[in-house]
Amino acid sequence: MRTFIFDVLTDLKEKQTNLTETTFILPSKRAGLFLKHQLHKFINRPIFSPIILSIEEFVEDLSALKKIPNTELLFLFYNSYKQLTPKEDLESFESFTKWGQLLLQDFNEIDRYLIPQEKIFNYLSAIKEVEHQHWSLETPQTDFIKKYLSFWNKLNSYYNDFTQSMLDENSGYQGLMYRKAVENLNAYIQNNGNKSHVFLGFNALNTAEKKIIEELLEHNLAQIYWDIDATFIENRIHDAGFFTRQHKTKWNYFSHQPFNWITSHYSKPKNISIYGIPKQVGQAKYIGNILKDLQEENPSFQNTAIVLGDENLLIPVLNSLPKNIGALNITMGLPLKSVPLASLFQTLLEIHKKDSKTFYFKDLIKILSHQFIRPLFIVEGVDHALSIINTINNTNLVYVTLTKLKEMVTECHELLDILFLDWDTSIEQVIENCTALILLLKTHLDKNKSSNLLALEYLFRFNTLFNELSRLNTTYHHIKDVSALYGVYKEILASETLDFQGEPLQGLQIMGMLESRVLDFETVIISSVNEGLLPAGKSNNSFIPFDVKLENNLPTFKEKDAVYTYHFYRLLQRAKNVYILYNTEADVLVGGEKSRFITQLEIENIHNINHNIIAPEVPIIKSLPNSIQKTSDVITTLKSIAEKGFSPSSLTNYIRNPIDFYYEKVLGIKELEDVEETVAANTLGTVVHNTLEAFYKPLEGQFLTPEIIKAHKSNISKTVTLHFKKEYKAGDITKGKNLIIFEIAKRYVANFLDLELKQLEAGNTIKILAIEVNNVVPINIPELGFPINLTGKVDRVDEYNGMVRLIDYKTGNVQQNQVEIVDWEDLTTDYTKYSKSFQVLTYSYMMSQSNHIKLPIEAGIISFKNLNSGFIKFTKKDKAGYGARKEALITQETLSHFETELKKLIVEICNPTIDFVEKEV
């Protein structure tokens, strides 16, 4: 295909231009590489290569200033800020970085557009003064208002001191170099009267660029080639030609010289396919599908480009490429913040920013589990990181000190020191710790270098980053604490990339929108063509208000939209096959509805457009319940469980969901032990149970008296605290939710003792027969042919006014209808309604079989959240609804009916022909 660069070189050859003596100036370095690649087609003898520069390189040469990195600019600017701001008004460097970067962008813009800085800063100050008069009528002005207005009054002083400090060192930022380049332009023209310049591929130009190019054109030292289509020039409202129309009509040079060039490529036939695809990642996956189809016709993907409207799609796109892709070039770098190592140092700085002595357990586990850190803790096959994590979980440590960490393991103390020691000593020590960690990681990765090349590249870049931080702080001394270091670290991380190595002139090209300048491709795939991404929309990261920008001819969102409109349509000009992808799922964070560019393409009606909405192929999968067959091994395990004893809770677990019973009892899978940051409900229940056991166990065989209960009431706090320490281990119950739960536990016990006292004072007699009775009772089921036991612990058995009661404590809320049944068959079918009744009857059956009690008895629940109901008795009803006859006494007949259902349940559990089938819960 004939590219724009090829056409420019063809024209220069026809004009017999001496390429050796020509300086080519393009919008980007990448465009210069493609230009150099095309040169050999236009020369038939050895020549010295022409000078090929990006516009920024040309301006830097013209200004004679050395460019300073953006991060260092912040440090330099803070010098000026400190010098000109009274000590009492001075903000910390950390606070300054949050607005300093924004002000630097405004300085840059003002300089690039050659705005008289004093004029615009005085204008801004006057505006703020007027605004203040509208929104604050206080007189005299408050200190806050005075400081606010003083800031705006000082902007010109900040600018002058800041720029002068750089000029004194012959250095500057981009905008300052542009301003200085214009000042040096006349001298450059006088000293280079025979030099030829060729500008090509430009569109939006700032005032300094316009001035430089116009002056060189007027002095016949330059030629300029525009890449614009007649469609955009002739249509006076088309944003793709917004800037070029201005240049054509407003530059004096074009009043007497031809305008090169206006082409007609855009109107030529093109295959344009537009795809609406759900979500950003969906687009990445569909790009992979497009490439597979293209690969059949163009295996090398020559003259094919993927242009990412959202550069965050880079990794998903790379993961979606066909496996046999061949040559590949990625113009954009991988953002350093996306590298796994970035999260490690971010977490380290975050936790030390909070506290360098005591560490929150989740932060610790996050660091110890990190993919780069975990291998360092493995010594001779022993995972010491896992040991620390298990100890934290088992001892319920929410906050951990370094001393405590070292007590948990006998190895890796040096590594623990690097990660957690002396981070509050000095910033130099913090950076030294980070560097030491990098060297430790490098030593580990060098052991298997061939498989860790990418990880070693990560380490190299982060070593460079921390060396730069060390240099900046040594030079300027602005970083005083870890919090400020963290802010600067994030600032550097946001702008740094990990560059890819590829074939810049061959195969598939992956790039961002700005990297596509001047380049042409036959096949173009453009992703994320959504409002808010292409174009970016009405974002205004600036201290300069919209109306002030208009007044001073500074670019607004309107001009920025026009820039992206040009780039978008320029990609389409010479392309033959265009694939445009957009996200159909509106997301205010990463782009809303489809871009106006798509609508505009459709309204123009110049090309045949195939517009499709792509829905992901979602297979219809019938949701079948999980089913586990009872193999011989499972039956063997069930026999072992049966011999040890089925507990009431395990049986109700089976009733609730057989699969849960299988996982817990057969496979032995337990819930993950984790730190209880807040006291869990089961821990609260255990503490209350154990406290009551401590009070009542010594009273077995005795009648309760008011004096005994009153004596126990005075020991509630001490006993509850003791059992909390046993169950909650090192967990803190002195503050927050845990303190509330601790008080609730004391209240539960106190309320229960008050209930007992009230009953005793009312003349009732209560005799404690047994507390926390352990039972192991055999049950004879001949059809199974192997021994089966029931096991369980009964909370309390007492004698109330001569009637034996079996009591189960519940810290939850239990109502009377939860311990009532009508049909015996319901006991083993409905967990939600009858699990409490099943448990109470199981305890009664075991106590009866073991001869601990004689029938009839009463059995039921005392609910600590429903103490007003007192002892909630199990009840058998003869029918449902009102008017039913209720029987609360548990007799031999009652237990016989229950035994029938119990045996049926156990037979079902142990029956090899009945699978464990999941229930919908």
Side-chain angles (χ1 to χ4, degrees):
M1 65 177 292
R2 285 179 66 95
T3 64
F4 170 66
I5 291 174
F6 184 89
D7 288 341
V8 170
L9 291 173
T10 301
D11 188 68
L12 291 173
K13 184 178 180 181
E14 290 172 359
K15 293 178 180 178
Q16 297 184 344
T17 304
N18 185 345
L19 295 179
T20 299
E21 299 294 329
T22 301
T23 298
F24 288 92
I25 300 150
L26 302 97
S28 66
K29 289 182 180 180
R30 180 172 174 76
L33 183 65
F34 275 75
L35 172 65
K36 187 178 289 187
H37 178 65
Q38 294 279 340
L39 277 174
H40 74 277
K41 299 176 183 178
F42 297 89
I43 56 175
N44 51 19
R45 58 187 177 83
I47 64 167
F48 285 106
S49 175
I51 297 171
I52 301 174
L53 302 171
S54 68
I55 184 67
E56 287 195 21
E57 290 172 324
F58 179 65
V59 168
E60 187 173 347
D61 288 345
L62 195 53
S63 69
L65 298 178
K66 178 188 173 185
K67 188 175 181 181
I68 294 180
N70 286 337
T71 307
E72 187 164 356
L73 287 175
L74 268 176
F75 286 79
L76 278 167
F77 188 22
Y78 191 64
N79 274 352
S80 298
Y81 170 74
K82 280 179 67 177
Q83 190 171 334
L84 298 172
T85 306
K87 195 170 184 180
E88 61 273 14
D89 298 337
L90 197 64
E91 293 187 27
S92 67
F93 184 66
E94 180 189 8
S95 177
F96 166 83
T97 57
K98 294 172 183 175
W99 57 265
Q101 189 65 53
L102 204 58
L103 197 54
L104 285 175
Q105 291 175 19
D106 286 337
F107 287 173
N108 192 55
E109 202 87 317
I110 288 166
D111 283 332
R112 289 168 68 234
Y113 283 82
L114 305 179
I115 309 296
Q117 63 274 12
E118 190 169 352
K119 172 191 168 186
I120 195 167
F121 292 135
N122 290 341
Y123 190 33
L124 277 173
S125 179
I127 286 174
K128 296 302 173 183
E129 189 74 48
V130 172
E131 284 179 356
H132 158 67
Q133 292 173 8
H134 283 286
W135 54 258
S136 177
L137 301 177
E138 289 186 38
T139 53
Q141 294 175 343
T142 63
D143 289 340
F144 177 79
I145 299 298
K146 287 177 182 176
K147 289 178 182 178
Y148 177 77
L149 295 176
S150 173
F151 169 78
W152 292 100
N153 289 330
K154 285 196 177 84
L155 285 185
N156 190 46
S157 301
Y158 290 153
Y159 173 87
N160 288 333
D161 188 84
F162 173 55
T163 53
Q164 191 57 51
S165 66
M166 284 187 288
L167 291 173
D168 290 343
E169 299 294 327
N170 291 319
S171 59
Y173 53 88
Q174 185 196 62
L176 188 60
M177 288 193 296
Y178 271 94
R179 194 186 283 274
K180 197 67 179 173
V182 172
E183 291 176 11
N184 295 343
L185 185 57
N186 287 334
Y188 178 83
I189 290 172
Q190 290 174 9
N191 295 328
N192 295 276
N194 296 321
K195 190 178 260 189
S196 173
H197 303 79
V198 175
F199 293 87
L200 63 153
F202 287 92
N203 172 47
L205 298 170
N206 58 52
T207 307
E209 289 168 340
K210 290 177 190 174
K211 181 80 172 170
I212 291 167
I213 295 172
E214 279 190 275
E215 285 293 319
L216 291 173
L217 288 172
E218 291 289 356
H219 286 81
N220 294 318
L221 294 177
Q223 300 176 66
I224 186 163
Y225 291 89
W226 307 99
D227 188 11
I228 193 72
D229 199 274
T231 305
F232 313 136
I233 286 286
E234 292 164 5
N235 184 343
R236 296 188 177 183
I237 62 170
H238 202 300
D239 272 357
F242 178 81
F243 294 105
T244 318
R245 285 194 300 271
Q246 287 184 352
H247 305 327
K248 187 174 183 294
T249 56
K250 293 183 179 180
W251 285 20
N252 290 331
Y253 179 78
F254 295 120
S255 62
H256 55 85
Q257 293 291 338
F259 189 87
N260 292 329
W261 292 316
I262 298 174
T263 62
S264 57
H265 298 292
Y266 181 69
S267 56
K268 291 178 180 178
K270 303 180 190 303
N271 299 316
I272 298 181
S273 299
I274 299 173
Y275 299 104
I277 303 168
K279 298 296 182 184
Q280 296 289 73
V281 173
Q283 297 176 68
K285 296 301 178 186
Y286 199 73
I287 287 172
N289 292 343
I290 293 171
L291 292 174
K292 286 176 186 175
D293 294 338
L294 293 175
Q295 200 169 23
E296 295 178 7
E297 297 180 7
N298 183 10
S300 64
F301 291 109
Q302 205 60 34
N303 290 320
T304 302
I306 300 171
V307 180
L308 302 180
D310 178 3
E311 296 190 3
N312 291 318
L313 274 185
L314 176 59
I315 299 300
V317 166
L318 291 178
N319 286 324
S320 303
L321 296 177
K323 292 183 179 178
N324 52 343
I325 195 72
L328 173 69
N329 184 61
I330 304 167
T331 304
M332 66 188 76
L334 175 66
L336 213 54
K337 63 183 179 182
S338 301
V339 168
L341 205 57
S343 63
L344 170 63
F345 289 109
Q346 183 164 334
T347 305
L348 278 170
L349 292 171
E350 276 180 343
I351 69 167
H352 289 293
K353 184 176 72 168
K354 299 174 195 172
D355 188 353
S356 287
K357 300 296 183 186
T358 308
F359 310 103
Y360 183 47
F361 79 99
K362 286 185 179 177
D363 292 332
L364 277 176
I365 292 173
K366 190 175 178 181
I367 290 172
L368 296 174
S369 304
H370 194 278
Q371 66 192 76
F372 277 94
I373 294 298
R374 189 68 173 266
L376 300 181
F377 278 95
I378 298 174
V379 181
E380 296 181 356
V382 179
D383 189 342
H384 294 284
L386 183 60
S387 299
I388 293 173
I389 293 168
N390 286 339
T391 304
I392 289 171
N393 288 334
N394 294 336
T395 56
N396 221 49
L397 284 168
V398 178
Y399 291 95
V400 190
T401 62
L402 176 59
T403 304
K404 192 72 177 175
L405 280 173
K406 287 184 175 180
E407 289 173 3
M408 297 177 190
V409 288
T410 55
E411 302 282 345
C412 306
H413 286 194
E414 181 186 351
L415 176 57
L416 288 171
D417 284 341
I418 291 172
L419 291 171
F420 304 112
L421 180 66
D422 290 338
W423 285 69
D424 57 348
T425 306
S426 66
I427 294 304
E428 290 77 12
Q429 182 61 51
V430 171
I431 296 173
E432 190 177 314
N433 285 346
C434 293
T435 306
L437 181 58
I438 289 170
L439 292 175
L440 209 59
L441 287 167
K442 181 182 181 299
T443 303
H444 173 75
L445 294 174
D446 277 341
K447 294 174 184 175
N448 192 3
K449 195 170 185 177
S450 59
S451 60
N452 292 318
L453 290 176
L454 186 58
L456 287 166
E457 182 67 24
Y458 294 161
L459 286 176
F460 172 75
R461 291 307 304 273
F462 275 89
N463 190 56
T464 305
L465 185 150
F466 281 106
N467 284 341
E468 177 66 5
L469 280 170
S470 178
R471 182 189 71 81
L472 289 171
N473 196 53
T474 303
T475 305
Y476 299 102
H477 306 289
H478 293 331
I479 305 175
K480 303 297 183 185
D481 53 33
V482 177
S483 186
L485 178 66
Y486 177 62
V488 180
Y489 168 81
K490 287 200 299 182
E491 186 69 38
I492 294 178
L493 208 61
S495 59
E496 290 292 318
T497 58
L498 190 66
D499 295 329
F500 292 94
Q501 291 182 352
E503 298 291 338
L505 303 168
Q506 295 178 22
L508 182 65
Q509 306 288 315
I510 301 178
M511 63 187 69
M513 185 59 77
L514 292 179
E515 281 82 23
S516 70
R517 290 175 293 184
V518 188
L519 308 182
D520 296 296
F521 303 94
E522 281 188 0
T523 301
V524 180
I525 303 169
I526 311 174
S527 74
S528 306
V529 187
N530 283 84
E531 286 296 314
L533 292 171
L534 282 177
K538 298 181 181 180
S539 58
N540 184 34
N541 296 325
S542 172
F543 279 113
I544 306 172
F546 180 80
D547 54 337
V548 178
K549 288 194 171 189
L550 286 179
E551 175 72 21
N552 290 274
N553 295 318
L554 286 170
T556 64
F557 66 85
K558 167 68 177 172
E559 284 73 26
K560 290 174 183 175
D561 282 359
V563 169
Y564 278 94
T565 307
Y566 172 80
H567 292 320
F568 176 80
Y569 276 94
R570 208 207 66 77
L571 273 170
L572 273 55
Q573 274 182 209
R574 294 175 182 79
K576 293 179 181 178
N577 304 301
V578 179
Y579 301 88
I580 298 171
L581 285 65
Y582 68 93
N583 181 8
T584 57
E585 302 293 313
D587 188 339
V588 294
L589 296 177
V590 290
E593 62 187 34
K594 70 178 181 181
S595 172
R596 70 193 78 165
F597 296 164
I598 294 174
T599 306
Q600 192 169 338
L601 275 174
E602 293 174 328
I603 291 172
E604 286 171 356
N605 203 25
I606 296 174
H607 307 287
N608 291 323
I609 296 174
N610 180 23
H611 195 157
N612 295 295
I613 302 298
I614 306 298
E617 293 182 12
V618 181
I620 298 173
I621 301 173
K622 291 184 179 179
S623 181
L624 297 174
N626 192 7
S627 178
I628 306 295
Q629 189 177 4
K630 291 174 185 172
T631 63
S632 58
D633 288 339
V634 171
I635 294 298
T636 301
T637 305
L638 285 172
K639 287 179 181 179
S640 174
I641 294 168
E643 188 174 357
K644 290 178 183 176
F646 290 109
S647 68
S649 60
S650 67
L651 292 172
T652 53
N653 194 23
Y654 178 86
I655 295 169
R656 187 180 69 84
N657 195 344
I659 285 293
D660 289 345
F661 175 89
Y662 170 74
Y663 289 149
E664 183 181 337
K665 303 301 292 184
V666 179
L667 296 185
I669 298 173
K670 297 181 180 179
E671 288 188 11
L672 176 67
E673 287 287 333
D674 200 359
V675 173
E676 277 185 50
E677 195 172 349
T678 302
V679 177
N682 60 339
T683 303
L684 170 64
T686 303
V687 169
V688 172
H689 275 69
N690 292 347
T691 301
L692 292 178
E693 181 184 4
F695 286 161
Y696 285 94
K697 189 72 174 173
L699 302 175
E700 287 181 336
Q702 298 183 37
F703 283 94
L704 296 182
T705 65
E707 291 71 27
I708 291 173
I709 301 300
K710 289 174 183 176
H712 283 328
K713 286 190 70 175
S714 63
N715 291 321
I716 289 174
S717 182
K718 181 177 73 174
T719 311
V720 170
T721 302
L722 172 69
H723 289 290
F724 253 117
K725 285 182 178 178
K726 286 183 180 177
E727 294 301 319
Y728 199 51
K729 302 182 178 74
D732 186 6
I733 58 170
T734 62
K735 56 181 180 248
K737 289 182 181 179
N738 288 346
L739 177 59
I740 296 172
I741 295 169
F742 172 68
E743 293 298 330
I744 287 171
K746 292 197 297 183
R747 181 68 59 86
Y748 279 169
V749 175
N751 288 347
F752 178 78
L753 293 177
D754 286 341
L755 177 66
E756 299 267 74
L757 187 61
K758 185 178 177 181
Q759 291 172 339
L760 291 170
E761 290 176 343
N764 298 295
T765 61
I766 303 174
K767 182 181 181 181
I768 302 298
L769 299 180
I771 297 293
E772 299 293 335
V773 187
N774 283 309
N775 290 282
V776 179
V777 177
I779 180 170
N780 184 30
I781 307 178
E783 55 262 55
L784 289 181
F786 52 83
I788 297 164
N789 292 306
L790 297 176
T791 182
K793 184 184 285 188
V794 178
D795 291 336
R796 167 169 161 170
V797 182
D798 67 13
E799 190 178 282
Y800 186 82
N801 293 332
M803 173 57 69
V804 175
R805 299 187 306 179
L806 188 150
I807 299 171
D808 190 25
Y809 299 138
K810 298 289 183 189
T811 49
N813 191 342
V814 180
Q815 301 295 325
Q816 179 63 51
N817 62 2
Q818 291 178 273
V819 285
E820 294 178 345
I821 66 164
V822 177
D823 297 318
W824 290 106
E825 293 81 2
D826 292 338
L827 274 174
T828 57
T829 57
D830 193 330
Y831 169 86
T832 306
K833 288 184 180 179
Y834 303 112
S835 61
K836 304 288 190 302
S837 297
F838 185 93
Q839 288 183 355
V840 166
L841 288 169
T842 308
Y843 289 132
S844 301
Y845 179 82
M846 287 191 294
M847 294 292 284
S848 172
Q849 292 294 104
S850 59
N851 296 317
H852 281 102
I853 57 171
K854 293 189 181 296
L855 300 175
I857 64 167
E858 291 178 342
I861 289 170
I862 288 181
S863 167
F864 289 92
K865 280 192 176 179
N866 187 19
L867 272 178
N868 290 334
S869 297
F871 177 57
I872 305 171
K873 302 175 187 177
F874 164 78
T875 304
K876 172 69 173 71
K877 297 165 67 175
D878 64 344
K879 64 179 181 179
Y882 295 105
R885 187 168 59 84
K886 299 182 179 181
E887 179 56 64
L889 278 178
I890 295 178
T891 64
Q892 187 59 54
E893 182 185 0
T894 308
L895 293 183
S896 294
H897 286 297
F898 172 70
E899 184 180 42
T900 301
E901 300 305 319
L902 178 63
K903 288 183 176 181
K904 280 164 57 178
L905 178 65
I906 294 174
V907 166
E908 180 183 319
I909 291 173
C910 298
N911 191 334
T913 63
I914 299 175
D915 295 343
F916 290 112
V917 180
E918 184 177 21
K919 284 185 182 177
E920 290 185 16
V921 181

